[in-house]
């Protein structure tokens, strides 16, 4: 018989199961990943704000992605790291803390799509209607696009979690490495039909809008590149679009793997690991991909390195 505890405000986290031998290697792997995500994303954001050559819509919009990566990883990894070092019986979390973590985790997943969608629009304007780019992508437009990306995500996730917290709880075990919406509504013994319907609709609409915007935009960009005889335009389009597309595909497949593994309960450990990697892999690679592809960022970093090399000689 399952023990029922109604509306308890103390929940137990199942966490990520590791053996005693692998505890510290796993801990340090996740810890180093978190440090890399924070340093890389904060570093590239500061670089964009410092260098006036990078005050372009594409890079300013990318700062939203960096902010999302910082929020997502900070929401999950510090708590996960502490849980790895604790025995399962001590992995306790308050209900309100769990709701905040679930909200932030869902917000991260949603903003990853909405921010990349507005970045797609920027690429479309830059390549398909370049003569009007400066008049369309103004500071006012950047603020509107940014507010839309975060605002839409905030509202959709707010409704998602609002439907969950209305439910009475009869269980206390979170069967996941961290709190998310599904883990929370599974604590209830009431009907979660509305939660499932809205959750499915939410996911379908978000993925349809995300994937659809990518296909339509890159379809039009491909047509423009094929019909244009301007080689420099085609080269620039290929570089910027490939960077954006790689970042999008990494994020999409990282999330898809976790969703698919939900259908196979026998692979619960792999599902948990994939859920964690969804917060690690995109956040670690996004800045690297943009840094490698961006001529402006490479130039700024090389100039910094040259200036540092000349400093000792100038002080003599």
């Amino acid at each position: 018989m399952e023990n029922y505890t109604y509306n308890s405000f103390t929940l137990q986290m199942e966490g990520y199961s590791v053996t005693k031998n692998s505890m510290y290697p796993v801990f340090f792997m996740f810890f180093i990943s978190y440090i890399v995500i924070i340093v890389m994303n904060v570093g590239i954001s500061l670089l964009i704000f410092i260098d006036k050559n990078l005050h372009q819509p594409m890079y300013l919009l990318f700062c939203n992605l960096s902010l999302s990566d910082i929020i997502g990883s900070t929401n999950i990894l510090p708590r996960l790291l502490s849980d790895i070092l604790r025995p399962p019986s001590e992995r306790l979390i308050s209900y309100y803390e769990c709701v905040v973590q679930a909200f932030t985790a869902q917000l991260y997943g949603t903003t990853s799509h909405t921010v990349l969608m507005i970045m797609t629009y920027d690429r479309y304007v830059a390549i398909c209607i370049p003569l009007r780019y400066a008049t369309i992508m103004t500071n006012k437009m950047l603020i509107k696009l940014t507010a839309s990306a975060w605002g839409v995500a905030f509202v959709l996730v707010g409704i998602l979690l609002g439907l969950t917290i209305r439910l009475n709880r009869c269980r206390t075990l979170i069967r996941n490495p961290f709190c998310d919406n599904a883990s929370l509504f599974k604590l209830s013994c009431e009907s979660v039909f509305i939660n499932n319907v809205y959750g499915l609709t939410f996911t379908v609409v978000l993925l349809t809008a995300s994937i659809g915007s990518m296909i339509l935009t890159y379809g039009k960009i491909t047509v423009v590149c094929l019909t244009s005889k301007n080689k420099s335009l085609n080269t620039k389009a290929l570089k910027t679009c490939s960077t954006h597309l790689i970042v999008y595909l990494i994020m999409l497949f990282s999330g898809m793997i976790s969703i698919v593994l939900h259908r196979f309960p026998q692979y619960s450990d792999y599902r948990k690991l994939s859920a964690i990697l969804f917060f690690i892999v995109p956040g670690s690679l996004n800045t690297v991909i943009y840094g490698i592809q961006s001529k402006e960022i490479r130039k700024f970093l090389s100039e910094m390195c040259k200036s540092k090399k000349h400093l000792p000689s100038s002080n003599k």
Side-chain angles (χ1 to χ4, degrees):
M1 288 290 290
E2 184 177 0
N3 292 325
Y4 293 98
T5 305
Y6 287 91
N7 292 330
S8 172
F9 285 97
T10 301
L11 307 177
Q12 185 176 352
M13 194 83 73
E14 190 174 61
Y16 183 63
S17 301
V18 291
T19 62
K20 287 186 177 180
N21 292 331
S22 61
M23 179 190 299
Y24 290 105
V26 170
F27 175 87
F28 284 112
M29 183 185 72
F30 287 156
F31 177 73
I32 292 169
S33 298
Y34 178 60
I35 296 299
V36 168
I37 291 170
I38 297 300
V39 171
M40 295 288 284
N41 282 283
V42 171
I44 200 167
S45 298
L46 288 174
L47 190 152
I48 290 169
F49 281 108
I50 291 170
D51 188 4
K52 292 183 178 179
N53 294 322
L54 297 176
H55 289 183
Q56 303 173 27
M58 179 177 70
Y59 296 114
L60 295 175
L61 291 174
F62 177 73
C63 287
N64 286 280
L65 200 60
S66 289
L67 177 61
S68 179
D69 289 333
I70 292 169
I71 292 173
S73 59
T74 302
N75 178 54
I76 299 300
L77 293 177
R79 169 81 202 195
L80 178 67
L81 289 169
S82 65
D83 281 346
I84 288 174
L85 301 178
R86 293 174 183 165
S89 60
E90 295 180 13
R91 295 171 184 172
L92 304 177
I93 185 171
S94 73
Y95 174 69
Y96 295 116
E97 186 183 349
C98 192
V99 169
V100 171
Q101 189 181 50
F103 178 86
T104 310
Q106 300 290 157
L107 186 68
Y108 165 76
T110 307
T111 53
S112 296
H113 286 274
T114 55
V115 169
L116 284 167
M117 278 192 277
I118 64 173
M119 291 176 72
T120 305
Y121 176 72
D122 171 73
R123 292 300 82 211
Y124 166 76
V125 176
I127 296 166
C128 296
I129 41 178
L131 297 178
R132 295 181 57 198
Y133 184 77
T135 57
I136 293 175
M137 297 303 294
T138 60
N139 290 335
K140 190 175 181 180
M141 177 58 79
L142 287 177
I143 293 171
K144 284 182 179 179
L145 290 173
T146 300
S148 298
W150 288 90
V152 168
F154 194 92
V155 171
L156 292 176
V157 174
I159 296 171
L160 188 72
L161 267 295
L163 290 172
T164 297
I165 61 177
R166 71 186 172 85
L167 299 169
N168 288 313
R169 304 178 304 283
C170 62
R171 303 182 183 92
T172 58
L173 180 62
I174 299 290
R175 298 185 179 277
N176 209 34
F178 54 86
C179 294
D180 61 358
N181 182 60
S183 300
L184 274 174
F185 73 65
K186 285 178 182 178
L187 298 178
S188 177
C189 292
E190 297 180 18
S191 171
V192 292
F193 176 75
I194 296 175
N195 299 71
N196 283 321
V197 169
Y198 180 80
L200 182 61
T201 305
F202 170 83
T203 304
V204 170
V205 169
L206 182 65
L207 289 178
T208 302
S210 176
I211 297 172
S213 66
M214 293 291 167
I215 293 172
L216 288 173
T217 303
Y218 281 108
K220 290 182 179 180
I221 289 173
T222 302
V223 171
V224 169
C225 291
L226 290 175
T227 55
S228 173
K229 296 180 181 179
N230 189 333
K231 290 184 179 180
S232 62
L233 173 67
N234 293 345
T235 303
K236 184 179 179 181
L238 181 64
K239 281 186 177 181
T240 57
C241 290
S242 61
T243 302
H244 179 261
L245 195 58
I246 290 169
V247 167
Y248 177 77
L249 289 175
I250 288 171
M251 182 274 300
L252 186 65
F253 283 117
S254 297
M256 284 291 188
I257 290 170
S258 180
I259 293 171
V260 170
L261 287 175
H262 263 288
R263 308 300 176 194
F264 301 94
Q266 66 270 32
Y267 299 124
S268 62
D269 288 337
Y270 293 110
R271 176 186 59 78
K272 290 178 184 178
L273 180 60
S274 67
I276 297 168
L277 292 179
F278 177 66
F279 293 87
I280 293 177
V281 175
S284 304
L285 296 181
N286 290 347
T287 52
V288 175
I289 294 167
Y290 264 86
I292 291 172
Q293 287 282 22
S294 171
K295 181 181 177 182
E296 290 85 357
I297 291 176
R298 292 200 309 270
K299 183 180 178 182
F300 182 85
L301 292 174
S302 64
E303 287 176 355
M304 280 186 64
C305 292
K306 286 179 182 178
S307 62
K308 285 183 179 181
K309 285 180 181 178
H310 291 302
L311 278 176
S313 59
S314 63
N315 290 333
K316 289 179 181 179

